[in-house]
Amino acid sequence: MKNKKIVIIPLALILLAIVSYQVFNLWNKESVIIKVNNVAPEEGDEVSVIEIEEVRKTSIEEEFPSTMSEYAVRNAIHGMSHQKVIAKDKWTFLPMTQVRVERLIEVVEENKSNYENPGTYLSILNRWSNNDFSQADADHNAIWSLQGGNVGRATGVYTFEEEKEF
């Protein structure tokens, strides 16, 4: 009897985690409108970029208050990066919107003296703000490393078609 509990409880927890993850991701994905824009990053040819517009239930200032912890900033950047990168495992998803990126820049700027790695965050967010996702895998891995990641290292950047599929 005890052996059954040892097997059933972990299996139930794993199943609960998988279902929760799927519901969370579906909920987040259903709240967005996907548009395709052609942009020319600072220097280079015009490229198509997926731009997400989100149906907001709360203001961006409520979602990302100026008192946001560094931990929360890392989680937001990490969740948004999953839209752009190839990784075997992804445990979070936060739609990457221009509004989110710009607000995070403001939050990090306001908290530079309180954060350990503001330069890393601003470097990533400023690139993204300019529609430069060429280093999104390195950006993901920089944040992932700061979080002590050991599963889900990014191995590349999605093509336009792969990102659209995601």
Side-chain angles (χ1 to χ4, degrees), residues 39-139:
V39 298
E42 291 181 19
E43 291 182 27
D45 297 331
E46 190 173 271
V47 294
S48 294
V49 173
I50 293 177
E51 182 178 311
I52 292 184
E53 289 183 10
E54 188 171 36
V55 177
R56 298 200 60 79
K57 295 179 181 160
T58 60
S59 72
I60 193 66
E61 292 80 13
E62 288 176 288
E63 182 180 11
F64 296 154
S66 59
T67 57
M68 203 170 167
S69 70
E70 185 167 7
Y71 176 84
V73 168
R74 284 182 191 161
N75 283 341
I77 295 170
H78 186 210
M80 289 190 300
S81 73
H82 285 164
Q83 179 179 322
K84 302 287 182 184
V85 302
I86 300 165
K88 184 177 177 186
D89 293 307
K90 297 179 182 181
W91 294 98
T92 61
F93 173 70
L94 182 64
M96 183 186 293
T97 65
Q98 191 67 25
V99 171
R100 278 197 176 103
V101 170
E102 290 172 3
R103 178 59 182 166
L104 284 172
I105 291 170
E106 291 172 10
V107 169
V108 174
E109 287 286 353
E110 288 180 37
N111 291 286
K112 273 184 182 179
S113 62
N114 301 326
Y115 292 168
E116 290 181 23
N117 301 285
T120 300
Y121 312 136
L122 289 172
S123 176
I124 292 168
L125 293 166
N126 284 319
R127 248 192 322 280
W128 292 357
S129 177
N130 291 312
N131 293 305
D132 179 359
F133 305 106
S134 61
Q135 301 175 50
D137 53 346
D139 297 339

Side-chain angles (χ1 to χ4, degrees), residues 150-165:
N150 57 15
V151 175
R153 183 173 189 77
T155 58
V157 178
Y158 278 145
T159 64
F160 175 79
E161 291 78 19
E162 290 170 327
E163 180 180 352
K164 198 171 176 184
E165 174 79 18

